[in-house]
Structures are given as structure tokens and as C-alpha cells.
Amino acid sequence: MRVGVLTGGGDCPGLNAVIRAIVRKGVKEYDFEFVGFLDGWRGPLENMTTELGIAQVRGILPRGGTILKSSRTNPFKIDGGVEKIKDNLAANGVDALIAIGGEDTLGVATKLADLGVNVVGVPKTIDNDLSGTDFTFGFDTAVNIAMEAIDRLHTTAESHHRVLVVEVMGRHAGWIALHAGIAGGANVVLIPEQPFDIDKVCGYVEKRFQSHYSPIIVVSEGATPVEGGDMTLVSGEKDAFGHVRLGGIGDRLAKEIEDRTGKEARAVVLGHVQRGGTPTAFDRWLATRFGLQAVTAVHDQDYGKMVALRGTDIVRVPLAEGTAELKLVQPEAYAEAEVFFG
Ligand code: F6P
């Protein structure tokens, strides 16, 4: 059997661990052959392939990024895209495809599965916002990077009696902000699911200064104020999946806090640092198990499925179910963190 593998969407620590596990088990246990498709869905669309065997996956377990590269190409936005994919899979003798990606990449996989392509999905995103799985790999690494930044910012904020606002990733879901904020002892955490009241935020800042300790505010890039207004945009241009580029809420907040409280406030944008470099042990473990189970699903010809973490088990769920809705931070989980605010 010949199996294609691709990685799509924003990269994420652990992608290489998945690829390695797929190839190692596929070759050793099932005698599969593999072909790598480059740049996400652009690979099968434009027939961009690369050799993928034991030699290619040697030494990649601790490496961030993806040896298969990535893109946000959406074949459903391209004339004849689906036919081109089917033709190129056939031309490469590919019997089944493993697509590793988030909501968008797996959304395409779901539609292709409905159109008869033999596809198995592996969920990935640092945002941890896929409903079908308890956790996605990459999230733990991103949270640890953000936590370490918060730890470091505490000491410099204290030395200068400053407010430091840390902007983290999270377009629609505040998981990174919430987990890193709790782990790093942030004084306020602002997430997209809970529009924030700037007066209240300034109240927390004042209160924190009264205890002679400088506040750290963690804010998701997609957080918005209650008084309305759009998410802060870097660019209004949409990508192939209809997403705009967010950014700037940290600066906007810092300015507002400085104007209202008279305390110096600065913003730190962590950006792609959260997605780069080596994955944590948890992410390597989860990514490896996802890879092992994905290739087994192909062996079982159990197509149209996505592997998912439920508790400590890896299960298979229908692709459509796994990506049906975003997993958002529930009000109770946010309320739990509120005891530390101010
Ligand atoms: O989906 C993962 C993610 O890192 C989001 O948190 C972020 O909004 C987005 O990707 C950024 O994407 P890009 O690197 O394409 O600008």
C-alpha cells in the first residue's frame, strides 16, 4: 500500500513527531510505502512531492516545524481543485492519504472523504480549539513558552513599577492565555470568549499596584472589549479559509491602561515564538501516539476518521464530528481563574 502524508495550516511543534511515527510503524509493521506531499493541500493539488521513508524521518522527533512544509491552500477555492487532487493521488499510486492539520485542513479532508478520497485526519493546532479531541499537540509547548515569558516579565515589571501586557495567540479560543496565565500567575487574563470591561481591567491594575506588585496582563490576540469594536486587525485581507490577520490588542490595551491609570504600561507580543522550536515531552508523546494510531486506521481502511485523545486513550471519530465546532473556554473555566485577578 502507498500512503501520502501532508501537513497543512499554521505549523505546530510535534508535526515531525507525527510524521516519524506514521512512517516508522507503517514501514515496520505494515510494509507500507510513503510519499510526502509538500506545502499542505498545495502538494496534491500541484503534484509537489518528496521522498518519505525511514531515512527522511531519522532525527526529526525533537525538531519543530514540519519537514513537509505547510500552507493555507484551500483546494475548494480553486477551479477543478478536487479533480486535480484525485488525479495527482492516482498518478502517484497513492491508495490513502493522512492529512495532519487543524480546523481548515481537516475541513478539506472531511469534504474529500465525502467525495471518495481515502483519508485519515490527525488534529493539530497550538490553539487547542478542536472539539473532537481533549488536547491537540503543540498546545502544551505554546503554553510553556508563554509561561516562561510571563515568569521573566514578572521580575522586570516589578523592577520598573510597570504594567506588562502579554499578547498570546488565540483567534477564537483563549486556551493559551488561560493556561499560561494560570501557570504564570498573571493578574488578569483576557480571552475572546469573554469580552472585557476596560474599567474593570484598570481596577485590577490599580489594586495590584496598591499591594506594591506590578501587574501582568495576558491577552489573547482575539480578545475584544465589551463596548464593542472589532477584533484588532493587522490586515483586513482574508486567507483562503476566510481568516483575517489579528494582532495589536496588546498595544491597544497598554495605551488605554496608561491613559486611564497614569501607570506606565508596555506590551509584549509573543507571536510565532509560541509555534517555533522543539516540542515538550507531552507534545512529542501525544503527536507520536496520534501518528501510530493514524497509520493503524489506514491499515484497517477506516477512512473518513480523525484520531483523537479522550482521557488517556486515542480513539477514532468521524472527521466531520471532530471539526464540527470550535472548542471554546467555558465560562466556568474562566471564572475559576478570576479568583487570581487584581
Ligand atoms: O491557528 C494557529 C495560529 O497560530 C493562531 O493562533 C494564529 O491566529 C494563526 O495561526 C496565525 O497564523 P499565521 O502564522 O498564518 O499568521
Side-chain angles (χ1 to χ4, degrees):
M1 189 171 208
R2 199 161 151 81
V3 181
V5 184
L6 66 82
T7 54
D11 73 338
C12 170
L15 284 168
N16 285 327
V18 182
I19 299 167
R20 168 181 173 268
I22 290 170
V23 173
R24 288 283 293 272
K25 184 170 182 183
V27 170
K28 189 172 176 187
E29 300 217 350
Y30 307 131
D31 211 15
F32 284 174
E33 280 177 18
F34 291 93
V35 56
F37 286 102
L38 294 168
D39 289 3
W41 290 113
R42 191 185 295 147
L45 198 63
E46 297 178 17
N47 203 20
M48 293 159 56
T49 63
T50 186
E51 217 180 314
L52 188 60
I54 299 290
Q56 285 72 33
V57 300
R58 200 161 278 142
I60 66 171
L61 173 64
R63 274 177 55 196
T66 160
I67 59 164
L68 296 177
K69 318 294 175 200
S70 193
S71 76
R72 294 192 187 275
T73 305
N74 182 352
F76 286 93
K77 285 280 160 70
I78 290 163
D79 265 351
V82 173
E83 288 319 308
K84 281 183 194 155
I85 286 183
K86 285 184 167 177
D87 290 350
N88 286 328
L89 291 179
N92 285 286
V94 168
D95 306 294
L97 186 64
I98 299 179
I100 311 165
E103 182 208 349
D104 300 329
T105 305
L106 296 185
V108 170
T110 308
K111 289 190 206 164
L112 288 176
D114 290 343
L115 295 170
V117 177
N118 295 335
V119 57
V120 167
V122 176
K124 151 284 11 162
T125 166
I126 64 161
D127 295 348
N128 196 39
D129 58 1
L130 289 179
S131 58
T133 179
D134 288 353
F135 283 101
T136 47
F137 63 86
F139 171 64
D140 185 64
T141 306
V143 168
N144 274 283
I145 291 167
M147 179 198 69
E148 197 193 328
I150 296 166
D151 285 350
R152 290 173 187 278
L153 292 170
H154 271 296
T155 60
T156 171
E158 277 165 52
S159 308
H160 292 269
H161 312 285
R162 277 178 185 144
V163 182
L164 283 177
V165 180
V166 188
E167 181 182 313
V168 297
M169 281 187 169
R171 254 198 270 256
H172 308 290
W175 294 110
I176 297 177
L178 185 68
H179 283 225
I182 289 177
N187 309 115
V188 186
V189 175
L190 305 174
I191 61 173
E193 295 88 335
Q194 301 272 340
F196 62 86
D197 177 345
I198 186 69
D199 288 331
K200 223 168 152 186
V201 173
C202 290
Y204 290 139
V205 165
E206 305 274 19
K207 190 163 167 239
R208 179 53 49 166
F209 274 115
Q210 281 156 19
S211 62
H212 305 290
Y213 189 78
S214 300
I216 303 287
I217 299 174
V218 178
V219 59
S220 306
E221 61 185 345
T224 53
V226 271
E227 61 265 29
D230 291 335
M231 294 185 180
T232 308
L233 304 182
V234 164
S235 146
E237 245 173 67
K238 292 189 175 166
D239 68 17
F241 289 94
H243 304 299
V244 289
R245 246 179 88 193
L246 297 178
I249 188 70
D251 274 327
R252 194 172 141 194
L253 253 178
K255 183 169 181 325
E256 202 67 33
I257 290 169
E258 196 166 289
D259 289 350
R260 289 173 184 239
T261 66
K263 304 285 185 197
E264 187 186 0
R266 302 274 187 95
V268 176
V269 181
L270 296 186
H272 293 86
V273 168
Q274 294 159 95
R275 280 194 350 213
T278 189
T280 58
F282 178 83
D283 283 339
R284 294 182 200 190
W285 169 84
L286 181 58
T288 297
R289 291 190 69 204
F290 275 170
L292 295 173
Q293 294 300 325
V295 80
T296 305
V298 170
H299 177 254
D300 296 345
Q301 302 193 7
D302 194 6
Y303 302 124
K305 298 285 171 60
M306 176 188 103
V307 293
L309 180 71
R310 295 279 169 86
T312 54
D313 293 333
I314 308 291
V315 300
R316 295 175 199 165
V317 297
L319 265 169
E321 191 187 298
T323 57
E325 55 186 60
L326 282 180
K327 183 175 65 188
L328 299 177
V329 174
Q330 294 307 302
E332 310 79 59
Y334 187 69
E336 214 174 61
E338 271 179 318
V339 71
F340 300 105
F341 290 8

